[in-house]
Amino acid sequence: MQLLLDVWREACRHIEIGEFVARIGPRLKERIPFRLLFVRRVELDRGRIETVASTADARGSQPQARTECSPQELDEVLRWCKTGVPLAGGPGPRPALLRLLAPPDLDGPVLAGPLASGDELGILLFAGERGAAFAPASLGEARELLEPFAVALENDHRFHELARLREAALADNEALLSRLGRQDISESIVGAESGLKSVLERVDKVAATDAPVLILGETGSGKEVIARALHTRSPRRTGPIVRVNCGAIPSELVDSELFGHEKGSFTGAIATHRGWFERADGGTLFLDEIGELPPAAQVRLLRILQDGTFERVGGGQTRTVDVRLVAATHRDLEDMVAEGTFRQDLWYRISVFPIHLPPLRERPGDIPHLAAHFAASAGKRLGGAPLAVAPPDLSLLLAYPWPGNVRELAAVIERAAILGDGKRLEVAAALGRPLAATPRSTPAALLAEPAPAPTSLESAMRRHIEEALTSTRGQIEGDQGAARLLGINPHTLRARMRKLGIDWQRYRANA
């Protein structure tokens, strides 16, 4: 029993079969007298039996490692493996099956036991001294060793399969980085020392905690970049980061995608499915456009944020995950709470630490750096060499309001590079402006006339609402009310008026 325990202990301690055999081989001679010990793998798909581990031969020779087999011979080996019965052959001529199981140039007596675990088939083979024979008791000793050796063989196969998959993934990763012109996977943030400096300072403050973070910003302003920066600067950086676009999931599939489902839980559920929370276990889950979640999903999301537990669709087992939630939206969740389309308790839960991401028009100092970054990348992809942004083109980019933010800037630079055949940037044409309107011969004149500073968004919103209240004489609801005129819900209008400090009664009193 002690020897068997030692065999199991070494099998669990050493994943590679060669190291396991080297460690436990000398101990086994206490029970089974042998000259050589082999572990051989039956490879049905390749039509062969191959030695994957063996003890050293003191005489300095090793038998042939591979035995080619016909389909009929493999069928015979397969039937024997399923029996689980060891076989022994004396010093004389071997039976036909033992000739298949042992290396062809191995002489002397042999003792073979079948190894079967999972999808792995193998052979535990003992070779004795020439002229000797294995005692009947050795068959019983070998039978006790089959299970730990079978597990060790399966672990070795899984270990090397994972190593091959890892090498393939690293090769793919290097190829992708080469195409992107980058040295590593870490994502540099353009504007980290200028327009986004205050944003990244807040990221650094909250990164070390597990507090939920809500990133607020317009579409295309770079919310996912900030979410990934938060993940890479957190203790969870070695775990997964999973991004989910809540607005792209059909409402009837939201629960299944977020929390998973059991096989047969609904029509089309042909297999068990792990949801996004399970896939992000130990890491970060980034819920982009969280304002698009339907009310039913909001209730289940609130539960998992409160106690970290959930149930798969169609399942009764309560599951627990360790996930850091980062949410993002371009919508005004406070207005949605006032309208009743977003749960107030969920709003309180996800907005523990909000991060406001300014739009590109409010950080014009980042435009030259972003344009240079996108131009260099576009040039490498299209023409093989990085492109540069000329001063007249930069003037046009600075004067443009960028309603689509960084995403639109990247698209414009890409379009400008395509229009320039990958050799130059045609920024004016990419912006949809006639070339004559941007003479390249007078860049100084363009640079000397900066665009006027835009009115703040709050000021423009306040003026627009006040004009509507003046037109409707302070009436908010109804067919003739300001809400109908502005095309928004009356509750939303009242919430915005409170936020902007607008007194609607003043307009009614002046009527």
Side-chain angles (χ1 to χ4, degrees), residues 231 236-242 278-285 324:
H231 174 75
R236 297 173 177 266
R237 65 179 68 89
T238 57
I241 176 170
V242 179
E278 287 185 78
R279 297 183 186 186
D281 193 15
T284 302
L285 179 63
R324 203 268 181 80

Side-chain angles (χ1 to χ4, degrees), residues 326-407:
V326 177
T329 183
H330 73 282
R331 303 181 65 176
D332 191 331
L333 294 185
E334 288 185 272
D335 287 353
M336 293 180 65
V337 170
E339 296 172 6
T341 57
F342 197 84
R343 293 183 63 91
Q344 188 177 46
D345 45 5
L346 180 58
W347 155 250
Y348 291 144
R349 181 68 64 174
I350 66 174
S351 61
V352 173
F353 196 89
I355 296 178
H356 294 270
L357 188 58
L360 186 57
R361 61 181 172 273
E362 293 182 9
R363 44 190 178 103
D366 291 346
I367 292 178
H369 304 293
L370 286 167
H373 172 74
F374 294 136
S377 299
K380 291 179 181 178
R381 286 195 302 272
L382 298 175
L387 298 175
V389 183
D393 293 334
L394 182 57
S395 218
L396 292 176
L397 297 176
L398 289 169
Y400 188 72
W402 300 111
N405 293 292
V406 179
R407 185 180 296 132

Side-chain angles (χ1 to χ4, degrees), residues 468-469 471-472 474-487 493:
L469 291 172
S471 176
T472 60
Q475 181 178 344
I476 295 177
E477 300 189 35
D479 293 339
Q480 305 299 320
R484 181 68 175 268
L485 183 62
L486 295 171
L493 177 57

Side-chain angles (χ1 to χ4, degrees), residues 111-147:
L111 171 60
L115 304 178
S117 179
D119 296 330
E120 282 294 292
L121 295 177
I123 303 159
L124 174 60
L125 190 76
F126 297 94
E129 295 291 343
R130 295 182 182 91
F134 286 102
S138 297
L139 288 172
E141 299 284 354
R143 187 190 294 270
E144 295 291 335
L145 298 172
L146 295 181
E147 186 178 1

Side-chain angles (χ1 to χ4, degrees), residues 7 132 212 375:
V7 172

Side-chain angles (χ1 to χ4, degrees), residues 15 59 107 167 299:
I15 297 179
R59 302 170 189 177
D107 55 1
E167 290 174 0
V299 175

Side-chain angles (χ1 to χ4, degrees), residues 148-195:
F149 268 84
V151 171
L153 180 63
E154 184 183 15
N155 288 342
D156 177 81
H157 174 73
R158 291 184 177 180
F159 172 76
H160 286 93
E161 184 65 25
L162 288 174
R164 285 192 291 270
L165 291 175
R166 182 176 181 273
E167 290 174 0
L170 289 175
D172 290 342
N173 185 41
E174 290 179 2
L176 290 172
L177 289 174
S178 176
R179 292 176 59 185
L180 294 172
R182 292 163 58 181
Q183 298 297 320
D184 54 52
I185 198 64
S186 60
E187 190 166 16
S188 60
I189 300 179
V190 179
E193 299 299 326
S194 50

Side-chain angles (χ1 to χ4, degrees), residues 15-168:
I15 297 179
E16 291 190 270
I17 190 72
E19 187 175 358
F20 164 63
V21 168
R23 296 279 298 182
I24 203 62
R27 292 289 313 277
L28 295 180
K29 288 188 177 182
E30 301 172 7
R31 307 296 299 177
I32 304 176
F34 62 87
R35 177 170 60 92
L36 288 173
L37 182 154
F38 298 90
V39 176
R40 312 194 78 200
R41 177 177 286 122
V42 180
E43 300 182 349
L44 297 175
D45 54 339
R46 298 184 180 183
R48 68 191 188 191
I49 302 174
E50 186 170 12
T51 300
V52 293
S54 65
T55 56
D57 188 355
R59 302 170 189 177
S61 62
Q62 281 285 359
Q64 184 176 332
R66 185 176 301 170
T67 305
E68 303 295 336
C69 301
S70 67
Q72 293 78 13
E73 292 172 333
L74 284 176
D75 287 341
E76 186 177 356
V77 173
L78 180 59
R79 285 193 297 269
W80 171 73
C81 285
K82 292 180 178 179
T83 66
V85 178
L87 291 176
R94 297 175 190 161
L97 181 56
L98 278 178
R99 288 199 300 271
L100 289 175
L101 303 179
D105 54 346
L106 180 67
D107 55 1
V110 293
L111 171 60
L115 304 178
S117 179
D119 296 330
E120 282 294 292
L121 295 177
I123 303 159
L124 174 60
L125 190 76
F126 297 94
E129 295 291 343
R130 295 182 182 91
F134 286 102
S138 297
L139 288 172
E141 299 284 354
R143 187 190 294 270
E144 295 291 335
L145 298 172
L146 295 181
E147 186 178 1
F149 268 84
V151 171
L153 180 63
E154 184 183 15
N155 288 342
D156 177 81
H157 174 73
R158 291 184 177 180
F159 172 76
H160 286 93
E161 184 65 25
L162 288 174
R164 285 192 291 270
L165 291 175
R166 182 176 181 273
E167 290 174 0

